[in-house]
Amino acid sequence: MSLPHAILTALLEKPSSGLELTRRFDRSIGYFWSATHQQIYRELGKLEAEGLIRALPAEQPVRGQKKSYEVLPAGRAELARWTAAAQDPKPHRDTLLLRLRAAAMVGTAGLEADLRRHLDLHRRQLAEYEKIEQRDFPPGKDSAQDRLQHLVLRAGIDLETFWTQWLEHALAEFAELPGRDAK
């Protein structure tokens, strides 16, 4: 149920067309909640049918013109309700961790190279987040909105830091495994 809420959030930040939302998901929200172009358009239709958003009137009616959407009071109320509701954390599912567990039974062939690849990917993502932090959150930018958005970015930085450190540790352990390819 979170995609509609991600879209409501994005539209409250700035009324947008479906294409603009897709681009914004690729650049920001998509770091922690991804959605395809088709999912976004499908959800826009549902939100509009439920009376939570509306298409903004076009300045001039033109066939094929993209529609921009804005959040209606009912949409704001739904987002506020959802934000205030308690929600338990979801169990973490990660195929890399499952593959490590399976390697204990069938051997580690190919796994070390993938651990290194994952480490490289997490290092690059961490560097990207740190760049965003420097660019978008300079000292003194401390409105409530800025602080909450920075908190979300900090979660990404902290998660990437965790994965980078964990993968470095895993590779060190991996290097010391006796007969790691013997099974």
Side-chain angles (χ1 to χ4, degrees), residues 55-106:
L56 293 169
E59 291 177 16
Q60 298 176 359
V62 177
R63 186 179 169 104
Q65 181 178 349
K66 63 183 179 181
K67 287 191 217 175
S68 285
Y69 296 89
E70 69 176 356
V71 177
L72 294 170
R76 181 179 284 275
E78 167 54 23
L79 190 58
R81 182 210 58 78
W82 178 77
T83 301
Q87 188 175 43
D88 292 336
K90 300 284 185 224
H92 182 73
R93 293 170 47 159
D94 191 292
T95 56
L96 179 61
L97 298 178
L98 182 58
R99 290 172 54 221
L100 280 171
R101 179 79 182 241
M105 305 311 300
V106 298

Side-chain angles (χ1 to χ4, degrees), residues 6-29 37 40-41 43-45 47-48 52-58 65-72:
I7 290 172
L8 287 170
T9 300
L11 290 175
L12 277 173
E13 291 171 348
K14 179 182 178 192
S16 304
S17 68
L19 180 59
E20 290 164 341
L21 281 172
T22 299
R23 289 179 179 148
R24 288 175 54 211
F25 264 74
D26 289 346
R27 288 190 323 265
S28 61
I29 293 172
H37 185 75
I40 290 170
Y41 273 94
E43 206 57 53
L44 284 169
L47 291 168
E48 189 173 25
L52 301 178
I53 65 171
R54 73 175 179 121
L56 293 169
Q65 181 178 349
K66 63 183 179 181
K67 287 191 217 175
S68 285
Y69 296 89
E70 69 176 356
V71 177
L72 294 170

Side-chain angles (χ1 to χ4, degrees), residues 1 6 10 20 32 47-48 94 96 112 114 116 154 169 179:
M1 185 66 177
E20 290 164 341
F32 56 90
L47 291 168
E48 189 173 25
D94 191 292
L96 179 61
E112 186 173 3
D114 203 38
R116 291 187 189 289
R154 281 301 320 169
H169 175 77

